Amino acid sequence: MYWRLVERRGKAIAKVAMARKLLTRLYWMLRRRSEGQTLRQRSRVAASPWLDMPQLGDRR
């Protein structure tokens, strides 16, 4: 893809275009990963089997 852009638009434009494409993909990867982690943390806490269990020394 880079070399096709170099042929059509020139080296400077191709560099900026590739950097933009890379940063956009990186941004979305990190954003999706952070959203997934927060969702997993919420579901893990809500579905934790240990929440209703008494602690050691706790007399219910």
Side-chain angles (χ1 to χ4, degrees), residues 15-28:
K15 282 182 184 179
V16 173
M18 289 291 103
R20 182 178 179 193
K21 183 179 283 259
L22 178 64
L23 287 174
T24 303
R25 289 185 179 183
L26 181 63
Y27 168 80
W28 283 108

